[in-house]
Amino acid sequence: MNRFAPKNLIRHGLTLVFGLSLGSFLVGCNPTSLPIGPTSINSRYTDEQPSLSANGRFLAFVSNRNGSRNILLYDLQNRQFADLPGLNRQNAIADSPSISNTARYIVYLTNNQGRSSVILYDRITRGSQVLYQPYQGWIRNPKISPDGRYIVFENGGRGQWDIEVLDRGPNIELDLIDGVPSGFSLSGPQ
């Protein structure tokens, strides 16, 4: 039988086309095509609870890529991690980050020896401050206002989830985008 018969030629051609199509589809869906490494957002570890700054430049999230649950801050514009000295501490579990306009302020939960706290980290002073630490009960989901003045979170101290609002006061240095509060228009109220 002639191996170049039209029927065999069509069958071999379709098999080749199908195989190439399937192969390119599988390569396109391969998870290793994502940039993974020390300078990328994604890693082979658990990265979760993302928070984006109001200016869209910074991304804070919780990761276990360094052997414990730490908060990392990624500069999306420069595609690199920002240094956060003093934020992540040994023997403390960091959770639920929230960041201000330009990520100057990071508010988050920490759990140290079973005691939860709401912590504020200032990237300029490189210092942390305990904003709230209940004697008993649970706290969760802290969020910071874009300018960094207000912090809200849920407090379970009364046997139900209540919302707490902390005002850091009028004398703090606000985190403003280009010196203008977010939502403010130079042409007047909106």
Side-chain angles (χ1 to χ4, degrees):
M1 178 158 187
N2 184 358
R3 56 184 270 211
F4 295 108
K7 209 176 201 181
N8 286 340
L9 204 65
I10 291 172
R11 185 178 325 133
H12 288 295
L14 287 175
T15 302
L16 179 64
V17 168
F18 178 74
L20 289 174
S21 297
L22 181 62
S24 63
F25 174 75
L26 291 175
V27 169
C29 293
N30 189 349
T32 59
S33 64
L34 290 173
I36 295 178
T39 60
S40 71
I41 297 172
N42 296 305
S43 71
R44 299 200 183 281
Y45 298 95
T46 301
D47 299 326
E48 58 187 2
Q49 302 174 6
S51 177
L52 189 64
S53 64
N55 69 354
R57 179 174 175 179
F58 292 97
L59 175 69
F61 59 96
V62 176
S63 178
N64 71 347
R65 65 177 75 189
N66 294 327
S68 63
R69 285 180 63 88
N70 290 317
I71 293 176
L72 303 178
L73 184 66
Y74 190 78
D75 184 336
L76 294 165
Q77 182 178 332
N78 294 326
R79 296 178 185 227
Q80 64 185 15
F81 286 97
D83 193 25
L84 300 172
L87 184 135
N88 296 302
R89 301 177 189 259
Q90 268 188 318
N91 303 323
I93 298 170
D95 209 20
S96 304
S98 177
I99 53 182
S100 60
N101 277 328
T102 64
R104 173 180 178 172
Y105 299 115
I106 303 172
V107 68
Y108 62 100
L109 291 179
T110 187
N111 191 320
N112 191 355
Q113 299 176 354
R115 218 156 158 208
S116 295
S117 303
V118 176
I119 308 290
L120 176 84
Y121 179 79
D122 184 340
R123 285 188 29 209
I124 291 179
T125 65
R126 297 181 172 203
S128 293
Q129 173 186 5
V130 176
L131 296 177
Y132 183 80
Q133 186 174 39
Y135 177 72
Q136 62 184 17
W138 294 96
I139 50 179
R140 66 182 185 187
N141 299 324
K143 303 291 182 221
I144 192 165
S145 63
D147 64 6
R149 179 172 174 175
Y150 299 97
I151 288 92
V152 297
F153 59 93
E154 297 171 50
N155 185 347
R158 295 186 325 131
Q160 67 182 31
W161 289 110
D162 295 318
I163 296 172
E164 301 279 342
V165 179
L166 297 177
D167 181 353
R168 295 181 53 220
N171 297 326
I172 66 154
E173 190 171 334
L174 298 177
D175 184 7
L176 306 176
I177 297 176
D178 297 328
V180 178
S182 65
F184 180 80
S185 170
L186 293 176
S187 62
Q190 296 180 2

